[in-house]
Amino acid sequence: MVDAENYGTFISMVNKQFATAVHVMTALTLENGGAGPISSSRLAESVNTNPVVIRRLLLLLQKADLVSSTKGQNGGVTLKRNASTITLEDIYLAVQTCQMISGSDRKVKKNCPVSRSMKAVMCGVATGVEDASKKYLRTIYLSDLKKKVME
Amino acid sequence: MVDAENYGTFISMVNKQFATAVHVMTALTLENGGAGPISSSRLAESVNTNPVVIRRLLLLLQKADLVSSTKGQNGGVTLKRNASTITLEDIYLAVQTCQMISGSDRKVKKNCPVSRSMKAVMCGVATGVEDASKKYLRTIYLSDLKKKVME
DNA sequence: TTTATATGTAATATACATTGTTACATATAT
DNA sequence: ATATATGTAACAATGTATATTACATATAAA
């Protein structure tokens, strides 16, 4: 049933990509320096998902130059940079699919001044939210998360 | 086709609610003080959607005490507070369905320290992003948007 | 009091992105 | 040569938001 009480109160559980990416990168931070590369299968176990989901994510992290992977026996993934130089903004930008706030894609009503202005207005708002968020994410380093996990 | 080039690059067009709410509130700001209340049908025309979509949104805005509505002939919706006292944070909080950054709902792997820590880690991150965003949204008043539209 | 018109609300259809899964090609260390 | 890892395609399953139709309810105005 959808009424005033719960309309719009669904919790969106799509877009786990950022959370998954942070998980993977944190795991690499803790395990690398240990016994070499980690396989997507082991990462998938820690995340509790399918290895292909992890591998798809890793392609994005590779494109952003955050990790590198090697094929074949004893292959797997390693961090490409030191954990104390990687921030959550780096990870966010690597896997970002869309802005946190999105405008509407509805057709503009050309005879309505408000409708005509909305795209520009929401674009500005989206940029503002994005900038504020990234500024915050930039303050958190992978090495900070490592500490948190080890506590 | 889904490959490395476009996997994760879909633009999510769900969650137009905030954009729609800003549109509606801006329209009310411009038109109120004019010829009394505005009907959901007229608002729907400006937004280019179905009146019911607008009415469902208005229920949320009413719960947040931002607008009030009257039934019957010549009925409709009016702003309940002055536009120079309403910020985009008020609107965001009224229609917010979930946090901008969400954690994963996957089951925790209890023998993995990273997996055990992730929920707390992502909760902190989500709160940080949320706070930063709200702080920004708090700086923009409906009266500012009115000016932008009238330019 | 009747009528027109507005909101309130339910039920359902539609659209679409993300995740999960299977299958297989490709590369590489041992 | 073989085992094992990544790379990639294809498709099913899931879940949320929007759109739409229909109707109940309230109220101003004739």
Side-chain angles (χ1 to χ4, degrees):
Chain A
M1 194 188 67
V2 175
D3 56 27
E5 217 49 53
N6 57 19
Y7 183 76
T9 60
F10 297 115
I11 291 173
S12 173
M13 274 308 169
V14 289
N15 237 13
K16 309 180 217 179
Q17 282 218 81
F18 179 62
T20 308
V22 172
H23 187 142
V24 164
M25 292 292 283
T26 305
L28 289 175
T29 300
L30 274 140
E31 299 244 8
N32 274 172
I38 306 180
S39 71
S40 59
S41 302
R42 281 198 55 212
L43 289 169
E45 269 184 54
S46 169
V47 172
N48 225 324
T49 186
N50 193 293
V52 174
V53 172
I54 300 297
R55 290 207 283 271
R56 283 194 290 224
L57 191 62
L58 288 170
L59 293 178
L60 299 176
L61 296 172
Q62 279 181 69
K63 271 207 327 198
D65 230 53
L66 295 175
V67 303
S68 61
S69 72
T70 56
K71 291 181 174 178
Q73 223 166 28
N74 295 341
V77 188
T78 46
L79 274 192
K80 212 168 172 184
R81 287 159 43 188
N82 193 289
S84 61
T85 71
I86 298 176
T87 71
L88 291 192
E89 186 195 20
D90 296 318
I91 300 175
Y92 174 71
L93 291 175
V95 306
Q96 179 189 27
T97 62
C98 61
Q99 292 186 304
M100 308 220 183
I101 295 254
S102 66
S104 155
D105 58 343
R106 297 191 186 91
K107 221 174 17 170
V108 173
K109 211 75 179 179
K110 287 178 186 165
N111 61 338
C112 173
V114 178
S115 185
R116 283 201 307 268
S117 301
M118 277 315 289
K119 184 170 275 185
V121 165
M122 287 310 297
C123 182
V125 172
T127 302
V129 167
E130 208 69 13
D131 288 348
S133 298
K134 288 194 285 197
K135 187 177 171 187
Y136 165 73
L137 291 174
R138 203 148 54 220
T139 65
I140 300 178
Y141 289 84
L142 263 189
S143 45
D144 300 329
L145 300 192
K146 181 181 178 182
K147 277 184 210 158
K148 262 196 184 172
V149 170
M150 292 194 308
E151 272 168 12
Chain B
M1 196 187 67
V2 176
D3 57 25
E5 217 48 51
N6 57 17
Y7 182 74
T9 61
F10 296 114
I11 291 175
S12 173
M13 275 308 168
V14 289
N15 239 13
K16 309 180 217 181
Q17 281 217 80
F18 179 62
T20 307
V22 172
H23 188 141
V24 164
M25 292 292 282
T26 305
L28 289 174
T29 300
L30 274 140
E31 298 244 9
N32 273 174
I38 306 181
S39 71
S40 59
S41 302
R42 280 200 54 213
L43 289 169
E45 269 184 55
S46 168
V47 172
N48 224 325
T49 186
N50 193 293
V52 175
V53 171
I54 299 297
R55 290 206 282 271
R56 285 194 290 226
L57 191 61
L58 288 171
L59 292 178
L60 298 175
L61 295 172
Q62 278 182 72
K63 272 209 322 200
D65 231 52
L66 295 175
V67 303
S68 61
S69 72
T70 56
K71 290 181 175 180
Q73 223 165 29
N74 297 342
V77 188
T78 47
L79 275 191
K80 212 167 172 186
R81 288 159 42 190
N82 193 289
S84 60
T85 72
I86 299 177
T87 71
L88 293 192
E89 187 194 19
D90 296 318
I91 300 175
Y92 175 71
L93 292 174
V95 304
Q96 179 189 28
T97 62
C98 61
Q99 292 186 306
M100 308 220 183
I101 294 255
S102 66
S104 153
D105 57 344
R106 297 193 186 90
K107 222 173 17 170
V108 173
K109 211 77 179 178
K110 287 179 186 164
N111 60 338
C112 173
V114 179
S115 185
R116 283 200 307 269
S117 301
M118 278 314 291
K119 185 171 273 184
V121 165
M122 288 309 297
C123 182
V125 173
T127 303
V129 167
E130 208 68 14
D131 288 348
S133 297
K134 287 194 286 197
K135 188 178 170 188
Y136 165 74
L137 292 174
R138 203 148 55 221
T139 65
I140 301 178
Y141 289 84
L142 263 189
S143 45
D144 301 329
L145 300 191
K146 181 182 178 183
K147 277 183 212 160
K148 261 196 185 172
V149 171
M150 292 194 307
E151 272 168 13

